[in-house]
Amino acid sequence: MSELLLIDDDQELCELLVSWLSQEGFAVVACHDGQSARSLLVEANFDAVILDVMLPDGSGLELLKQLRNEHPELPVLMLSARGEPLDRILGLELGADDYLAKPCDPRELTARLRAVLRRSQSPVAVNHLELGDLSYSSARGVATIDQHEVSLTVSEGRILEALLERQGEPVDKQALAQFALGRKLTLYDRSLDMHVSNLRRKLGPHADGRPRIVALRGRGYLYQGL
């Protein structure tokens, strides 16, 4: 049974989601502020976090930053009552694995959670990949460039794994989204692009300044070696 931490100051919504997710086979612990969430994250191990953007004692985005520093491999799904594009972009830029606007369909929330959990808990098929000065350990979720380690989120790691396995060949965006996010992209859905942007920033360019990951119009993304 997957254990979830639900962080949202809307207590009525939390009760509804805990009831729904429990019926769907999840074990859910709910809290309503950032301080309580930080304590729970120290005391227990969770398989995923559902995090609201607005919290009474600070921004959920600030808590997300901390989560990414301390638990880079922990899947995080963001919720926002406003559902504004800027919130979505910021959440994905800071490393959220997925994002839903409130009110959301509990069935879609369940599907998104199961998708991100499948990615994080699936058996590691490829343990180690190398291309030029970069190596990637899918077991650890860590990329290494010239002895410098870079921690990746689940989604970023899956994207890099797919691109390295197809060295020098473009990977179609829908195929990449299915592999990395566990779902197809919808209209105006830029979540894959944001994860790729985060990955580019973390890896940096080659020593000669050329980008490691390039977008090919109408063909997808490609990792180019030295």
Side-chain angles (χ1 to χ4, degrees):
M1 180 180 290
S2 296
E3 297 188 5
L4 310 176
L5 177 59
L6 171 61
I7 311 166
D8 196 310
D9 65 341
D10 186 335
Q11 297 190 30
E12 183 177 353
L13 175 64
C14 281
E15 290 177 5
L16 291 172
L17 290 180
V18 168
S19 176
W20 172 270
L21 292 170
S22 298
Q23 293 177 39
E24 292 295 310
F26 297 100
V28 188
V29 175
C31 65
H32 311 299
D33 58 76
Q35 183 176 351
S36 300
R38 291 180 178 91
S39 298
L40 286 166
L41 287 163
V42 171
E43 297 167 1
N45 293 320
F46 294 97
D47 297 299
V49 171
I50 304 169
L51 173 61
D52 188 21
V53 168
M54 302 298 293
L55 296 175
D57 56 349
S59 168
L61 295 174
E62 289 299 320
L63 180 55
L64 176 61
K65 284 183 184 179
Q66 183 179 339
L67 278 170
R68 280 296 162 246
N69 288 330
E70 299 176 0
H71 308 278
E73 76 293 342
L74 181 63
V76 179
L77 191 152
M78 296 291 294
L79 298 176
S80 171
R82 292 181 296 182
E84 295 178 357
L86 180 58
D87 285 341
R88 185 179 300 110
I89 290 169
L90 285 173
L92 292 170
E93 281 183 343
L94 293 173
D97 292 278
D98 212 339
Y99 196 107
L100 279 176
K102 296 192 296 186
C104 63
D105 186 332
R107 293 169 295 184
E108 183 176 5
L109 174 62
T110 303
R112 297 285 186 98
L113 279 170
R114 285 181 171 149
V116 74
L117 286 167
R118 278 197 301 271
R119 302 198 309 272
S120 65
Q121 298 173 351
S122 61
V124 177
V126 178
N127 184 55
H128 192 80
L129 293 164
E130 291 189 12
L131 182 60
D133 63 343
L134 180 142
S135 64
Y136 173 64
S137 168
S138 53
R140 297 174 58 214
V142 171
T144 304
I145 303 173
D146 291 333
Q147 309 305 314
H148 176 67
E149 291 192 347
V150 180
S151 295
L152 304 179
T153 67
V154 174
S155 300
E156 292 162 1
R158 295 279 284 183
I159 290 170
L160 182 59
E161 181 180 336
L163 295 177
L164 290 179
E165 285 185 328
R166 296 271 299 273
Q167 298 179 11
E169 300 178 16
V171 182
D172 176 75
K173 289 180 69 172
Q174 284 291 1
L176 189 57
Q178 191 68 56
F179 179 80
L181 307 182
R183 60 180 176 82
K184 291 184 178 180
L185 296 174
T186 57
L187 191 63
Y188 307 121
D189 185 347
R190 295 199 59 232
S191 52
L192 178 66
D193 299 324
M194 296 306 304
H195 288 306
V196 171
S197 176
N198 290 341
L199 183 59
R200 280 175 170 152
R201 174 176 48 79
K202 287 185 176 182
L203 299 180
H206 285 296
D208 62 3
R210 291 185 304 118
R212 295 176 184 273
I213 300 173
V214 296
L216 302 176
R217 188 177 181 86
R219 300 176 65 192
Y221 288 105
L222 173 147
Y223 185 98
Q224 58 179 355
L226 294 171

